[in-house]
Structure formats: C-alpha cells, structure tokens
C-alpha cells in the first residue's frame, strides 16, 4: 500500500478565504481521489485527480470552488475556495494502485470555517 | 473526536457477541465492494473486500456476505472487541465516465460495551 500524507491536518479558517490541502503519496500510484466528509456523515467523492490534466468532478462539485492539481504521480492539491461555514468538513485524499481495488486513505484535513 | 458517525445509525453490542452490519447498495452493475472502518480522528481503513462473482468471503474474525438479488451487503464480526468500536462504511465500485470510482454508503456506528 502507498502511505498518504496530508497537510494541514487541521485548520480554522475565516469565511471568504481559500485554503490549499496537499497530498503526498510515497510511491507512484495510478489514481488519486479527493473526498469530503461533512460532520457525522459518510464520504462523498469530489473529484478524480488526473495527472497532467484537469480533474474529473462529480455532480455537485465544480472546478471554481474546488480547484485540483496533480502535477505528477505522487502529489496532488485540493483548494477550497471562498470558504463558508458549510465547507467545514474533513477532506480526504485517497489513492489506488490498480483500476479495481481498494482505496487507501490519508488521515484527512479537518477544516473549520468561522 | 470530530463527531464521526454522530448522525449515523448505531449498533450496540456486548463484548464477545457477534456483530452484523448491513448495507444496501444502489447499482446492480457494481462489481466490487469494500468494507471500511473509521475510528475517530482517522481516515477509513480497509477491512475486507468482495467481488461480485462471490457471495461470501472470510477474513480474520470478519466475514462479508453479498446478496446481488436484493443488492445487500453485510459485515459480520465475530467475538466483537472494544477495539472494534468505530464507524463502518460499505463502498461499491462504479465504472463511470471512464473511471472506476468507489461510492460510499451511509455508514453504521458500532458501539461495543463491556
């Protein structure tokens, strides 16, 4: 399995600001994904981070709000833009070695927006 | 903790009893399923998986059952221990838009009492 490190692990942010979360994997992986977990809820897929091209977003998520980069096979970033209290969530980076298989998760980045 | 599982259904069991956690999935074309365990403050951890060409798979103290007729998945934990207390999520693999994506179910909180 690939070990995933996320930064920051937690942050408190002001309304209207933006925050970029970094995800580093310790080995090359084929696919990386970003999930959101709102308080007390399950995980919702935000987007698939594609290496060298634009991310593929799920319904309800748009690039202007959640721009994603993946410059290489081991690194991705998710920005939460123009934050509001409704964006307070855990944001989780995950990766996969093969097409069909388990996802490995980082510990998540816990954002609180005031 | 971060209120993981605060709003989720709860299964309460006595230490030493067997636990059964159920999940209904949505897509009859899903071909791969995973159970994850999420402890407070951590990312989801893989427990066990099963492909759609199987109806049962066993691991150490855990068994996953798949009933494709009614789109139902269950996780059985034998001799439940306090360390099993966590939120459990099922996830199904969707192939959509050229990608394999894991879509998570609602989750169940397991509370183990001494």
């Amino acid at each position: 399995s690939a070990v995933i490190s996320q930064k920051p692990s937690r942050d408190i942010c002001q309304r209207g600001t933006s925050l970029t979360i970094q995800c580093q994997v310790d080995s090359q992986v084929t696919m990386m994904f970003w999930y959101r977990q709102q308080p007390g809820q399950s995980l919702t897929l935000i987007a698939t981070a594609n290496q060298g091209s634009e991310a593929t977003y799920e319904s309800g998520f748009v690039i202007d709000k959640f721009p994603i980069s993946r410059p290489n096979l081991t690194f991705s970033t998710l920005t939460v833009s123009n934050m509001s209290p409704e964006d307070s969530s855990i944001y989780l980076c995950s990766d996969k070695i093969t097409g069909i298989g388990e996802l490995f998760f980082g510990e998540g980045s816990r954002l609180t927006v005031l | 903790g971060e209120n993981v599982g605060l709003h989720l259904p709860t299964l309460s069991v006595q230490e030493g009893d067997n636990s059964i956690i159920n999940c209904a999935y949505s897509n009859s074309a899903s071909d791969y399923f995973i159970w994850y365990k999420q402890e407070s403050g951590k990312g989801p951890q893989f427990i066990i998986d099963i492909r759609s060409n199987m109806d049962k798979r066993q691991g150490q103290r855990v068994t996953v059952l798949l009933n494709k007729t009614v789109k139902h998945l269950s996780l059985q934990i034998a001799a439940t221990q306090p360390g099993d207390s966590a939120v459990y999520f099922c996830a199904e693999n969707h192939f959509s838009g050229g990608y394999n994506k894991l879509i998570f179910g609602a989750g169940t909180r397991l509370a183990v009492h001494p």
Side-chain angles (χ1 to χ4, degrees), chain B residues 73-93:
Chain B
L73 199 64
S74 69
L75 177 70
Q76 300 178 359
I77 304 174
T80 313
Q81 302 167 0
D84 295 325
S85 293
V87 177
Y88 290 80
F89 295 100
C90 67
E92 57 182 304
N93 183 72

Side-chain angles (χ1 to χ4, degrees), chain A residues 10 31 33 35 37 39-45 48 50 53-54 56 58 90 92 96 99-108 110, chain B residues 2-8 31-32 34 36 38 40-44 46 49 51 89 93 97 99-107:
Chain A
R10 63 176 66 237
M31 305 189 77
F33 303 87
Y35 284 82
Q37 188 174 26
Q41 303 294 320
S42 184
L43 284 76
T44 301
L45 180 62
T48 302
N50 301 310
S53 65
E54 192 172 288
T56 304
E58 297 299 305
I90 303 170
L92 293 146
K96 183 187 290 192
I100 296 178
E102 64 182 282
L103 281 182
F104 301 96
F105 284 88
E107 295 293 272
R110 291 149 181 82
Chain B
E2 286 77 17
N3 293 332
V4 171
L6 182 65
H7 304 300
L8 300 175
D31 54 3
Y32 176 69
I34 304 180
Y36 282 92
Q38 187 177 29
S40 183
K42 297 187 176 182
F46 171 89
D49 60 1
R51 294 190 180 269
F89 295 100
N93 183 72
Y99 297 96
N100 284 296
K101 297 176 274 197
L102 274 185
I103 305 301
F104 282 73

Side-chain angles (χ1 to χ4, degrees), chain B residues 3-65:
Chain B
N3 293 332
V4 171
L6 182 65
H7 304 300
L8 300 175
T10 297
L11 174 66
S12 294
V13 299
Q14 290 294 122
E15 181 178 356
D17 286 352
N18 296 333
S19 303
I20 300 176
I21 301 172
N22 296 304
C23 175
Y25 63 92
S26 59
N27 189 340
S28 57
S30 294
D31 54 3
Y32 176 69
F33 305 87
I34 304 180
W35 279 100
Y36 282 92
K37 172 185 181 183
Q38 187 177 29
E39 296 173 289
S40 183
K42 297 187 176 182
Q45 296 174 275
F46 171 89
I47 301 174
I48 191 168
D49 60 1
I50 188 168
R51 294 190 180 269
S52 60
N53 60 354
M54 304 171 69
D55 53 22
K56 181 179 180 179
R57 188 158 190 232
Q58 288 184 290
Q60 187 176 19
R61 277 203 310 121
V62 295
T63 301
V64 56
L65 298 177

Side-chain angles (χ1 to χ4, degrees), chain A residues 11-79:
Chain A
D11 207 340
I12 299 174
C13 308
Q14 295 300 316
R15 181 195 300 260
T17 63
S18 299
L19 182 78
T20 296
I21 302 166
Q22 298 180 4
C23 177
Q24 179 73 53
V25 184
D26 70 348
S27 60
Q28 293 189 348
V29 293
T30 56
M31 305 189 77
M32 295 179 76
F33 303 87
W34 286 97
Y35 284 82
R36 180 176 73 183
Q37 188 174 26
Q38 294 175 299
Q41 303 294 320
S42 184
L43 284 76
T44 301
L45 180 62
I46 297 172
T48 302
N50 301 310
Q51 192 254 326
S53 65
E54 192 172 288
T56 304
Y57 289 85
E58 297 299 305
S59 176
F61 297 95
V62 294
I63 188 171
D64 290 346
K65 176 67 175 177
F66 298 102
I68 289 170
S69 77
R70 190 179 173 191
N72 55 52
L73 289 175
T74 63
F75 185 77
S76 180
T77 67
L78 168 74
T79 299

